[in-house]
Amino acid sequence: MKLADNKATLSFSNGAPSVELPVYQGNIGPDVIDIRKLYGQTGMFTYDPGFLSTAACQSAITYIDGDKGELLYRGYPIEQLAKNCNFLETCYLLLYGELPNEAEKAKFEETVTQHTMVNEQMQFFLRGFRRDAHPMAVLTGLVGGMSAFYHDSTDITNPEHRNIAAIRLIAKMPTLVAMAYKYGIGQPYMYPKNDLSYAGNFMRMMFGNPCEEYKVNPVVERALDRIFILHADHEQNASTSTVRLCGSSGTNPFAAISAGVACLWGPAHGGANEACLNMLENIQANGGIAKVGEFMEQVKDKNSGVKLMGFGHRVYKNYDPRAKLMQETCNEILSELGLENDPLFALAKKLEKIALEDDYFVQRKLYPNVDFYSGIVQRAIGIPVNLFTGIFALARTVGWIAQLNEQMGDPEYKIGRPRQLFTGSVARDVKPIGQR
């Protein structure tokens, strides 16, 4: 970041001296006011619930312009990456800053492929969970547990350790997600197969069985790969901030990523596509497509308590650029699998049509977001609803580890320590129990 020519002046109406604050400029996006010395100069903190106006770090990885509906990975538009690159190329870009050439791509893909197996003892770890445990509960434990198996890459201050951990996490997450799924349905685990692509290998581990050869559908394979690309990173969101905050304490990379998995589980974050599919199934159970109009009227009524999931986005004030790409993929998958007339998908299309045409939703820019379409695609592929967030975690792992690496390499990084506006009791004396 570079120092701007202008400064910000903070003045007080009570006659206290004004304070000059430096202003820094990024390459694109809003400038920032440097308040690091504010407490020392004024004895005051800033108050910003949700950190909606606070830049907690400087980053060169991902940029979002919510007003324009723009998402860039290392400067490359998400639309171009999703159409011209595969997921592992995108991983390389996020980790190392540039897209790989042919030799770099081949070496990186081989390295990841060679690390897709997990320690056999992880199977015994899995057995400690109930069969009906939510996959995200299982994943939180498995990812954190990796630090117990890979002692040689747990020093978060060592760049080489972080790189080894990054490769292991990217390579092993599909295996862990598939194991969590297989464990839940009581089927045998499928070992990775090195001659398949990243997405194809995941499909085989999920849906294959030892009794017969699994054939990868290239349309489904590409759809999954695109889901991974679109979810790989998304700037300083809740889970990424959690990973950074956790990592700032010096904990190991696996523990930091496990914290991100736990944060992602929430329905307001990674669980949004699961919540969206649950909404569609509830509408279907209560009358289906004939009741969509009635449901949307309830959404408009603020007193009804009915929420429309999968539409609008906290960051994008325009159309979510990932949603356009996922919409294309959604149509391709439904056509490929012959599901255009499936009742739930027909219901989703009706919901989409109303939201794109009704003035209430158009004026509020409540367009379908990436969660709406990715949930439909995953259900069509055969991924159970409760595993949707696990797929999200699989894809987002590379973004988390790239952000963590960037933070740990930043000479200005400090352990996170948010402040507060205290509204509790002032100091008081403890009375003997008989006088209370």
Side-chain angles (χ1 to χ4, degrees):
M1 62 182 182
K2 57 186 177 182
L3 193 63
D5 295 331
N6 60 307
K7 293 183 178 180
T9 302
L10 178 63
S11 59
F12 303 91
S13 60
N14 63 359
S18 297
V19 177
E20 280 197 343
L21 301 168
V23 175
Y24 286 95
Q25 297 174 325
N27 292 345
I28 46 178
D31 295 346
V32 298
I33 300 170
D34 186 351
I35 60 168
R36 283 176 288 184
K37 296 181 180 179
L38 182 67
Y39 179 65
Q41 292 175 310
T42 67
M44 297 182 187
F45 301 137
T46 56
Y47 182 64
D48 184 19
F51 308 111
L52 301 185
S53 299
T54 299
C57 65
Q58 51 178 309
S59 179
I61 298 174
T62 303
Y63 175 74
I64 297 171
D65 188 321
D67 294 328
K68 293 181 180 178
E70 181 179 67
L71 172 60
L72 308 176
Y73 289 171
R74 299 284 191 182
Y76 294 105
I78 191 65
E79 296 88 344
Q80 295 180 25
L81 290 170
K83 291 179 180 178
N84 300 313
C85 299
N86 67 22
F87 178 63
L88 287 183
E89 285 178 90
T90 306
C91 289
Y92 188 98
L93 170 68
L94 291 171
L95 286 174
Y96 306 121
E98 297 292 342
L99 284 168
N101 58 32
E102 288 186 9
E104 291 166 336
K105 177 186 175 185
K107 183 179 179 181
F108 184 72
E109 289 183 344
E110 180 184 10
T111 303
V112 170
T113 301
Q114 293 297 324
H115 286 83
T116 50
M117 288 204 308
V118 299
N119 191 296
E120 280 289 283
Q121 289 179 277
M122 294 290 274
Q123 294 189 27
F124 301 108
F125 193 11
L126 260 172
R127 292 176 191 175
F129 293 99
R130 286 172 49 132
R131 288 281 181 184
D132 59 353
H134 194 287
M136 287 300 282
V138 176
L139 272 180
T140 303
L142 291 179
V143 175
M146 285 177 71
S147 58
F149 292 92
Y150 303 105
H151 301 289
D152 60 340
S153 56
T154 54
D155 183 358
I156 202 169
T157 64
N158 185 322
E160 185 179 351
H161 281 211
R162 292 199 306 271
N163 190 58
I164 293 170
I167 297 298
R168 283 175 170 160
L169 282 158
I170 293 166
K172 298 178 193 304
M173 276 298 284
T175 310
L176 295 178
V177 172
M179 286 176 70
Y181 170 64
K182 289 292 195 183
Y183 178 75
I185 61 174
Q187 288 188 5
Y189 308 122
M190 295 291 288
Y191 288 116
K193 206 163 182 289
N194 288 356
D195 60 349
L196 295 176
S197 71
Y198 189 86
N201 202 5
F202 177 63
M203 289 168 59
R204 179 181 171 275
M205 288 190 291
M206 281 282 293
F207 304 121
N209 66 71
C211 303
E212 57 191 19
E213 191 63 29
Y214 180 81
K215 293 183 179 179
V216 175
N217 182 321
V219 177
V220 177
E221 179 182 27
R222 179 57 188 160
L224 261 181
D225 196 75
R226 177 169 282 190
I227 286 175
F228 296 160
I229 291 172
L230 298 183
H231 289 84
D233 198 51
H234 209 240
E235 214 194 68
Q236 306 308 316
N237 51 76
S239 59
T240 299
S241 299
T242 298
V243 170
R244 279 183 173 263
L245 189 61
C246 189
S248 75
S249 73
T251 191
N252 69 77
F254 303 108
I257 301 307
S258 178
V261 174
C263 181
L264 191 71
W265 192 357
H269 191 10
N273 49 17
E274 182 178 342
C276 179
L277 253 293
N278 288 334
M279 174 193 73
L280 292 175
E281 289 177 347
N282 286 335
I283 298 172
Q284 182 66 22
N286 288 287
I289 200 165
K291 296 292 184 179
V292 170
E294 183 180 317
F295 173 82
M296 294 299 260
E297 289 302 315
Q298 289 178 322
V299 170
K300 295 179 188 180
D301 180 3
K302 293 181 179 179
N303 297 319
S304 70
V306 176
K307 292 184 178 180
L308 181 64
M309 306 303 296
F311 290 77
H313 196 279
R314 184 176 183 179
V315 172
Y316 297 109
K317 305 308 177 188
N318 207 313
Y319 207 86
D320 181 344
R322 301 169 301 168
K324 296 177 183 178
L325 295 159
M326 209 64 247
Q327 183 187 43
E328 294 173 9
T329 298
C330 183
N331 292 330
E332 288 172 8
I333 282 292
L334 296 184
S335 176
E336 170 68 17
L337 300 179
L339 293 171
E340 301 98 323
N341 297 321
D342 180 277
L344 199 69
F345 298 133
L347 188 156
K349 287 290 184 184
K350 179 68 174 178
L351 207 66
E352 174 192 45
K353 187 174 187 298
I354 293 174
L356 292 174
E357 295 178 357
D358 189 301
D359 285 343
Y360 178 90
F361 300 102
V362 173
Q363 288 173 9
R364 289 164 177 76
K365 299 185 177 179
L366 293 175
Y367 303 115
N369 59 35
V370 68
D371 297 312
F372 178 75
Y373 295 113
S374 67
I376 295 172
V377 170
Q378 290 180 74
R379 183 181 183 274
I381 291 171
I383 295 169
V385 174
N386 69 350
L387 198 65
F388 286 2
T389 318
I391 304 297
F392 195 158
L394 186 167
R396 183 56 58 85
T397 293
V398 64
W400 287 332
I401 198 73
Q403 296 274 350
L404 188 64
N405 286 350
E406 181 181 63
Q407 172 183 270
M408 301 311 295
D410 184 349
E412 292 190 339
Y413 112 86
K414 294 179 174 62
I415 183 171
R417 183 49 171 96
R419 309 311 290 253
Q420 66 178 17
L421 176 63
F422 182 70
T423 57
S425 299
V426 298
R428 49 183 173 167
D429 296 325
V430 178
K431 295 179 180 179
I433 192 166
Q435 298 177 22
R436 297 177 201 165

